Amino acid sequence: MEKIRIGIVGYGNLGRGVQYAAQQNTDIEITAVFTRRAPESVQTVLPVKVERYENMKNYVGKIDVMILCGGSATDLPEQSAQVVKLFNTVDSFDTHAKIPEYFEKLDAAAKETGHLGAMSIGWDPGLFSLARIYFGSALADGSTYTFWGKGVSQGHSDAIRRVKGVKDARQYTVPVESALERVRAGENPDLTTREKHTRECYVVAEEGADLARIEKEIKEMPNYFADYDTTVHFISEEELKRDHGGIPHGGFVLRSGKSAADNKFLLEFSLKLDSNPEFTSSVLLAYARAVVRMHAEGKIGAVTVFDIAPKYLSPLSEEEQRKQLL
Amino acid sequence: MEKIRIGIVGYGNLGRGVQYAAQQNTDIEITAVFTRRAPESVQTVLPVKVERYENMKNYVGKIDVMILCGGSATDLPEQSAQVVKLFNTVDSFDTHAKIPEYFEKLDAAAKETGHLGAMSIGWDPGLFSLARIYFGSALADGSTYTFWGKGVSQGHSDAIRRVKGVKDARQYTVPVESALERVRAGENPDLTTREKHTRECYVVAEEGADLARIEKEIKEMPNYFADYDTTVHFISEEELKRDHGGIPHGGFVLRSGKSAADNKFLLEFSLKLDSNPEFTSSVLLAYARAVVRMHAEGKIGAVTVFDIAPKYLSPLSEEEQRKQLL
């Protein structure tokens, strides 16, 4: 069997994760990493060719699908429409509000040259989106809830680091257990932002900094913390490194509802991830397999998890899937 | 918008459930129920035309999809290939060992006349199969576990009723909490049949029956009970009716595994259903929507949940799905 040839665009946590995940999928191989940094400055976790971003065009015909591992803020909106003109792509675009616009742009670019681009792949958007659509379709009369955590929010950690006097910080988003229990009990509650999640901040302050002011500035920060019950813990740099070095995440999608005969149903999907980027990468790789298969069948344009039948994701043949998994 | 016109074939718990579920889906209407009993003997939960099974052919062009609500032992293997020659179909065939053979037969019959038949739809096979394929694809290195219950097993209840001296019975399949916890803890245990589930039996004995013998016969029954820790409770007919009148079910699909960098992941999907048939029916209806849409795009033959992209299930447009659910 010929292996699926993957290119990794951008080599941060996600790119590293794709390299790890490829080790576990014997039908997939990594052909090259593409970077906008100096290639010789990129240390990969496993040996692989590192190329300049601009040299990508030399790999047309040698790579089946590019996995875009950049960020949603600036990298992906710029890169995806460029790369999809040369290759099939998979990306993890996760700026929810901009998804419709991003879809249109990717779809048009992909169709120009007959490629396929799978966007917003990962766990949210991604597997959690799947739970929302399957649950909502299977149970028409009900309410769907998404809770995140316990896990590290990179965006919120960065926001704390911008506060004057803060040297480093790690922020955890934590689902409120009592809110989860109310949903599980079938109460179908209307939950405010504050009722669903709390925010726990671990902060390393600069020497002599005014801790009370830092705590106040964090807790009152609009959008990020003001709408939440926020706890601030000041710790040492060593403690941060020792106890908060990982990037765990996870969460819950629940749907609670009833039949027209008034029988109650509860559907729940949850994830506990020791490494958020390594799991996201593993999902990206499964969808890379799907993209190659669907493109071989003639599918072009932009697609999301909603457009991709599950059979395309599995390394098993359709007969094996029916026999072993159905 | 024109409504999707549904026919119900067979009117037991599932057929009733489809009628209830149609009340919650405004894009769907039930055109007729088809039965092999005398139509006038069939009491429907909501008003609907009841027709003889043989008169189905008069509805060609008036019904978009038939939902087959018969049993997997004898009804579906006989009916599905017949009905699919006239209509698109959805069924809940759940005899796991016979799925490959059933698929081939349905596929050939459907292709003969250009129809589409979705088979093995419900929650297991169905939503649980989806969890197994998505989880396994997203996390290549891991172990998948399925637990059922707590819920009523109709087959096991029937087996108890065949024991001499038993008037009525209800059997619950119960997952072993400590086994679930070992999986959640990431132990990846090898679990025997006995370690995964227990069986709780509520038995109404005939007057003067030898209870010790009944209990022994149940506990030693091969295939059904011998491989499990089984508990037998003798109760009165009134207690059975009062406390065990429902048909609840549910269960868990879990996958536990790790990245090549040794970070652990746990994926879990669970269902708690007050009524097993009413939830199954609700899933059948969502897939009926998918069948109509896919057939309109030219898809024919037999399909399972693995072949059906999630977008086809939702009443929302693709734009709305991306905006609201992704």
Side-chain angles (χ1 to χ4, degrees):
Chain A
M1 193 182 67
E2 263 183 56
K3 292 201 179 195
I4 296 173
R5 300 164 302 175
I6 301 273
I8 296 173
V9 182
Y11 199 79
N13 287 332
L14 266 191
R16 272 191 289 278
V18 171
Q19 253 203 312
Y20 283 128
Q23 298 293 303
Q24 301 177 320
N25 289 272
T26 53
D27 60 334
I28 284 174
E29 65 184 11
I30 309 295
T31 301
V33 166
F34 299 90
T35 178
R36 284 172 305 180
R37 290 181 274 164
E40 59 279 12
S41 75
V42 174
Q43 292 289 331
T44 59
V45 290
L46 298 160
V48 65
K49 202 168 172 57
V50 182
E51 287 273 9
R52 284 184 192 284
Y53 183 85
E54 296 75 30
N55 291 345
M56 201 183 285
K57 57 186 182 303
N58 303 333
Y59 282 81
V60 170
K62 296 176 190 156
I63 282 178
D64 300 307
V65 53
M66 288 287 195
I67 302 187
L68 308 188
C69 297
S72 294
T74 54
D75 301 331
L76 295 176
E78 183 195 317
Q79 296 174 0
S80 63
Q82 285 172 4
V83 180
V84 86
K85 285 184 189 164
L86 297 173
F87 301 94
N88 298 316
T89 63
V90 178
D91 74 54
S92 64
F93 184 75
D94 67 358
T95 311
H96 282 266
K98 294 192 176 163
I99 281 175
E101 171 193 338
Y102 188 92
F103 179 90
E104 294 305 331
K105 202 178 150 196
L106 181 65
D107 191 54
K111 282 176 176 161
E112 240 179 70
T113 51
H115 289 109
L116 182 60
M119 62 174 267
S120 300
I121 307 295
W123 62 272
D124 197 359
L127 300 188
F128 272 22
S129 320
L130 287 170
R132 288 188 286 262
I133 198 169
Y134 279 117
F135 290 4
S137 303
L139 181 53
D141 186 6
S143 306
T144 300
Y145 298 84
T146 303
F147 290 83
W148 296 276
K150 181 180 178 177
V152 171
S153 165
Q154 215 56 59
H156 288 78
S157 301
D158 289 344
I160 299 173
R161 285 190 204 101
R162 288 192 294 265
V163 172
K164 201 178 161 234
V166 170
K167 204 169 169 186
D168 204 352
R170 189 77 82 254
Q171 194 272 176
Y172 296 93
T173 306
V174 184
V176 175
E177 192 59 38
S178 60
L180 266 167
E181 286 310 321
R182 288 181 63 196
V183 173
R184 290 190 184 119
E187 285 185 35
N188 282 3
D190 284 320
L191 297 167
T192 62
T193 299
R194 190 179 298 276
E195 287 171 322
K196 286 184 73 184
H197 299 94
T198 57
R199 299 203 174 272
E200 282 180 18
C201 312
Y202 293 85
V203 180
V204 180
E206 282 168 4
E207 233 181 277
D210 179 348
L211 303 188
R213 182 200 38 87
I214 291 176
E215 178 164 349
K216 187 166 182 292
E217 276 191 38
I218 293 171
K219 288 184 169 178
E220 293 178 354
M221 202 184 294
N223 303 318
Y224 286 93
F225 295 100
D227 297 335
Y228 298 86
D229 289 334
T230 300
T231 323
V232 176
H233 308 272
F234 289 99
I235 60 175
S236 71
E237 204 159 4
E238 293 66 42
E239 286 171 313
L240 189 81
K241 209 170 275 179
R242 187 191 66 206
D243 303 332
H244 306 281
I247 318 173
H249 221 311
F252 305 80
V253 178
L254 304 102
R255 187 166 176 86
S256 161
K258 56 176 174 39
S259 72
D262 224 28
N263 279 304
K264 283 186 172 185
F265 307 123
L266 179 69
L267 294 73
E268 178 167 346
F269 171 45
S270 66
L271 290 176
K272 275 198 192 109
L273 312 172
D274 276 1
S275 166
N276 180 356
E278 285 171 18
F279 184 72
T280 300
S281 301
S282 190
V283 177
L284 288 170
L285 208 66
Y287 276 91
R289 180 184 291 124
V291 161
V292 170
R293 291 176 174 176
M294 290 171 76
H295 187 252
E297 291 181 5
K299 179 76 184 166
I300 61 168
V303 287
T304 74
V305 292
F306 299 151
D307 306 305
I308 297 173
K311 68 171 178 179
Y312 292 111
L313 301 172
S314 168
L316 301 177
S317 73
E318 293 180 24
E319 290 74 19
E320 290 168 327
Q321 290 174 14
R322 284 192 293 271
K323 211 166 169 187
Q324 297 173 31
L325 301 174
L326 196 62
Chain B
M1 192 182 68
E2 265 185 53
K3 292 202 180 197
I4 296 172
R5 301 163 302 174
I6 301 274
I8 296 173
V9 182
Y11 199 79
N13 286 332
L14 267 190
R16 273 192 286 279
V18 171
Q19 252 202 313
Y20 282 128
Q23 299 293 304
Q24 301 178 320
N25 288 272
T26 53
D27 60 335
I28 283 174
E29 66 184 11
I30 308 295
T31 302
V33 166
F34 299 90
T35 179
R36 283 172 307 179
R37 291 181 273 165
E40 59 277 14
S41 75
V42 173
Q43 293 288 331
T44 59
V45 289
L46 298 160
V48 63
K49 201 168 172 58
V50 182
E51 286 274 9
R52 286 185 190 282
Y53 183 84
E54 297 74 31
N55 291 345
M56 201 181 288
K57 57 187 181 302
N58 303 334
Y59 282 81
V60 170
K62 294 175 191 157
I63 282 177
D64 300 307
V65 53
M66 288 286 196
I67 302 186
L68 308 188
C69 297
S72 293
T74 54
D75 300 333
L76 295 177
E78 183 195 317
Q79 295 173 1
S80 63
Q82 286 172 5
V83 179
V84 87
K85 284 182 189 166
L86 298 172
F87 300 93
N88 298 318
T89 62
V90 178
D91 73 55
S92 64
F93 184 74
D94 66 357
T95 311
H96 281 266
K98 293 190 176 166
I99 280 175
E101 170 192 341
Y102 187 93
F103 179 90
E104 294 304 330
K105 202 177 150 193
L106 181 66
D107 191 54
K111 282 176 176 163
E112 239 180 71
T113 52
H115 289 109
L116 182 61
M119 62 174 268
S120 301
I121 307 295
W123 62 272
D124 197 0
L127 300 189
F128 271 23
S129 320
L130 287 171
R132 288 187 287 261
I133 199 169
Y134 279 118
F135 289 5
S137 304
L139 181 52
D141 186 5
S143 306
T144 300
Y145 299 83
T146 303
F147 290 83
W148 296 277
K150 180 181 177 175
V152 171
S153 164
Q154 216 55 58
H156 287 78
S157 301
D158 290 344
I160 299 174
R161 285 188 203 101
R162 288 192 294 266
V163 172
K164 200 175 163 239
V166 170
K167 204 168 170 186
D168 203 352
R170 189 77 82 253
Q171 194 272 175
Y172 295 93
T173 305
V174 185
V176 174
E177 192 59 39
S178 60
L180 267 167
E181 285 311 321
R182 289 181 61 195
V183 173
R184 289 190 184 120
E187 287 185 33
N188 283 2
D190 284 321
L191 297 168
T192 62
T193 298
R194 189 178 299 276
E195 287 171 323
K196 286 183 73 185
H197 298 93
T198 57
R199 299 203 173 274
E200 282 181 19
C201 312
Y202 292 85
V203 179
V204 181
E206 281 166 7
E207 232 183 276
D210 178 349
L211 303 189
R213 180 198 43 84
I214 290 175
E215 179 165 345
K216 188 167 181 290
E217 276 192 36
I218 293 171
K219 287 185 170 179
E220 294 177 353
M221 201 183 295
N223 302 318
Y224 286 92
F225 296 100
D227 297 335
Y228 297 85
D229 289 334
T230 301
T231 323
V232 176
H233 307 272
F234 290 98
I235 59 173
S236 71
E237 204 158 6
E238 293 67 41
E239 286 171 312
L240 189 81
K241 208 170 278 179
R242 188 191 65 206
D243 303 333
H244 306 282
I247 319 175
H249 220 313
F252 305 80
V253 178
L254 304 102
R255 187 167 178 85
S256 160
K258 57 178 175 36
S259 72
D262 224 30
N263 279 303
K264 284 185 171 185
F265 306 124
L266 179 70
L267 295 72
E268 178 167 347
F269 171 45
S270 67
L271 290 175
K272 277 198 191 111
L273 312 172
D274 277 2
S275 166
N276 180 355
E278 283 170 19
F279 184 72
T280 300
S281 302
S282 189
V283 178
L284 288 170
L285 208 66
Y287 275 91
R289 180 184 292 124
V291 161
V292 170
R293 290 175 175 178
M294 290 172 76
H295 187 252
E297 290 182 6
K299 179 77 185 166
I300 60 167
V303 288
T304 73
V305 290
F306 298 151
D307 307 303
I308 298 172
K311 68 171 176 179
Y312 292 111
L313 301 172
S314 168
L316 300 178
S317 73
E318 294 179 25
E319 290 73 18
E320 290 168 327
Q321 291 173 14
R322 282 193 294 270
K323 213 168 167 184
Q324 298 173 30
L325 301 174
L326 197 60

